[in-house]
Amino acid sequence: EVQLVESGGGLVQPGGSLRLSCSASGFTFSSYVMHWVRQAPGKGLEFVSAISTNGGSTYYADSVKGRFTISRDNSKNTLYLQMSSLRAEDTAVYYCVRATSRSAFDIWGQGTMVTVSS
Amino acid sequence: AIQMTQSPSSLSTSVGDRVTITCRASQGIRNDLGWYQQKPGKAPKLLIYAASSLQSGVPSRFSGSGSGTDFTLTISSLQPEDFATYYCLQDYNYPYSFGQGTKLEIK
């Protein structure tokens, strides 16, 4: 079964750091561009970051640029999002997402909740 | 960054209705647009990609059209399981951007 499972969410204080992980199974992870998308409570979806198949190219939303770092380990079938200098507005469910060759987001994880609060 | 303007933000509809949701891009994005359905507490689900291609397993009552800056998602005959929130997503260039969402509510 094709599956993405996120982990690493939790409660963190403003200014703190957190690393999210996304474990992929059921498909050739190294062949797919991967993304992070977030959704603040009661709000819409927001693109966060993307990474190419070999990790050589990365992309970020302006709202997280310079604070978040996306990476992947194809030998471990795992995607990461290192988040630092966290703010209250980063509070959201974070989804790991696979993109097809047509850039369609066809597989989504169940999401992991990040809460930034003192 | 490309802005996606989606309308309406909410729609009160009935089972059997024909529903149309639109998305407008702030610049041309060819046909690089997808439509997603999200139900409360669940991850979004891909419905349409490349503006008009139906994702495998999605009922044929869903259809998409458009190119350039104006796009439409149509549900030909609304079913009870279709009451959800719908989002468009431009995947033309990074940073990708979603529309604000359209919530379909039961009239």
Side-chain angles (χ1 to χ4, degrees):
Chain A
E1 180 191 4
V2 175
Q3 199 172 8
L4 297 169
V5 178
E6 302 95 337
S7 60
L11 175 64
V12 60
Q13 292 188 339
S17 298
L18 207 59
R19 188 178 82 157
L20 306 183
S21 300
C22 170
S23 177
S25 59
F27 65 98
T28 304
F29 178 71
S30 60
S31 296
Y32 290 86
V33 176
M34 297 297 297
H35 298 76
W36 288 98
V37 171
R38 69 184 180 183
Q39 186 168 37
K43 302 298 184 182
L45 301 170
E46 180 186 15
F47 166 83
V48 173
S49 186
I51 188 167
S52 61
T53 53
N54 65 2
S57 296
T58 57
Y59 308 90
Y60 299 93
D62 288 344
S63 58
V64 307
K65 199 173 296 183
R67 300 187 299 121
F68 290 10
T69 302
I70 191 172
S71 62
R72 66 191 297 163
D73 186 335
N74 287 343
S75 69
K76 296 182 177 179
N77 293 336
T78 303
L79 176 71
Y80 302 100
L81 186 67
Q82 177 69 46
M83 304 184 295
S84 61
S85 301
L86 283 162
R87 307 165 180 167
E89 54 265 36
D90 296 318
T91 294
V93 174
Y94 285 74
Y95 294 102
C96 168
V97 190
R98 184 183 87 168
T100 70
S101 58
R102 291 304 307 270
S103 299
F105 287 6
D106 67 332
I107 303 295
W108 296 65
Q110 85 287 354
T112 187
M113 183 70 203
V114 172
T115 303
V116 184
S117 175
S118 55
Chain B
I2 298 172
Q3 309 299 319
M4 301 302 297
T5 303
Q6 186 174 339
S7 61
S9 56
S10 65
L11 193 56
S12 184
T13 60
S14 301
V15 172
D17 283 356
R18 181 182 180 88
V19 170
T20 298
I21 299 169
T22 64
C23 255
R24 174 165 289 176
S26 59
Q27 67 182 72
I29 58 170
R30 302 182 306 195
N31 68 337
D32 294 333
L33 182 116
W35 290 98
Y36 298 80
Q37 175 194 66
Q38 187 180 32
K39 296 183 178 179
K42 300 293 186 182
K45 172 188 173 183
L46 174 65
L47 300 175
I48 301 284
Y49 63 94
S52 60
S53 296
L54 191 68
Q55 173 69 355
S56 176
V58 174
S60 59
R61 61 181 181 273
F62 291 93
S63 64
S65 65
S67 182
T69 60
D70 294 308
F71 302 86
T72 299
L73 173 70
T74 299
I75 310 172
S76 60
S77 179
L78 206 62
Q79 299 301 300
E81 60 269 30
D82 299 337
F83 289 94
T85 301
Y86 294 83
Y87 295 91
C88 62
L89 168 68
Q90 69 82 12
D91 52 63
Y92 175 73
N93 67 10
Y94 289 110
Y96 289 175
S97 44
F98 289 90
Q100 302 94 321
T102 296
K103 185 174 183 180
L104 298 189
E105 298 172 314
I106 301 173
K107 186 181 290 183

